[in-house]
Amino acid sequence: MHDSIHDVDILLVEDNPDDAALVIRALKKCNLGNKLIHLSDGEQALNFLFGKGEFSEREVEEDKPRVILLDLKMPKVDGLQVLKAVREDPRTRVIPVVIMTSSAEEKDIVNTYNSGVNAYVVKPVGFDNFSKAVAELGMFWLLVNQSSR
């Protein structure tokens, strides 16, 4: 995991430590996990993104992550609330957000797309499938996609 809060490519917001470890491992295997910050709930994510609390020294407009990998079902503040806050603020509006969740419920998919998510990925069952999906996500959002950063 990356120590600097000022040079982040991937913001991973995931409350399940096992899933977070799998994501980090898969990204590092593709050399994409060097500038990754993992936060375990939506409240931390909002503080990070908007330079509050322990992240008050961050320059919100200068230190934007290139992509946010966001779990949907989390304690304190859920992923949908984080997504809405990101899309409502002009400083963070253009950051790509990918929901990575175990929920395949139609209402969750519709709500996130209506709130401006860039992609919705249901976590595959099994380590190999999960690792492959994460690697493909990382490759696309960091290497293929042209961001405004």
Side-chain angles (χ1 to χ4, degrees):
M1 192 154 82
H2 189 55
D3 290 331
S4 174
I5 62 170
H6 300 289
D7 185 21
V8 175
D9 283 340
I10 302 169
L11 173 59
L12 172 62
V13 188
E14 171 62 67
D15 65 318
N16 181 317
D18 294 333
D19 285 353
L22 287 175
V23 169
I24 293 166
R25 182 175 168 190
L27 290 168
K28 284 189 175 188
K29 192 173 180 182
C30 301
N31 295 316
L32 299 173
N34 295 333
K35 295 181 178 180
L36 178 143
I37 296 263
H38 169 231
L39 302 174
S40 58
D41 65 57
E43 182 178 71
Q44 281 185 313
L46 292 175
N47 285 343
F48 178 85
L49 289 164
F50 299 111
K52 296 181 179 172
E54 65 184 293
F55 303 108
S56 60
E57 72 229 35
R58 280 190 70 251
E59 293 291 330
V60 176
E61 293 184 38
E62 313 270 321
D63 297 332
K64 288 186 253 188
R66 291 180 55 196
V67 65
I68 300 168
L69 303 179
L70 181 62
D71 188 17
L72 198 55
K73 313 284 186 189
M74 292 184 296
K76 296 185 184 179
V77 178
D78 69 27
L80 185 59
Q81 291 170 295
V82 173
L83 173 63
K84 286 178 178 179
V86 167
R87 291 298 178 246
E88 289 171 0
D89 193 300
R91 299 171 297 173
T92 57
R93 184 175 294 143
V94 298
I95 301 171
V97 178
V98 177
I99 295 291
M100 288 182 40
T101 183
S102 54
S103 172
E105 293 181 38
E106 183 70 20
K107 73 174 182 62
D108 288 337
I109 296 168
V110 169
N111 285 339
T112 56
Y113 275 109
N114 283 337
S115 298
V117 78
N118 295 90
Y120 189 102
V121 177
V122 177
K123 295 175 187 172
V125 178
F127 173 77
D128 290 337
N129 290 337
F130 189 73
S131 293
K132 183 178 180 202
V134 169
E136 289 172 358
L137 279 171
M139 297 287 264
F140 176 79
W141 289 107
L142 295 180
L143 301 177
V144 177
N145 183 59
Q146 296 296 307
S147 68
S148 65
R149 183 173 163 199

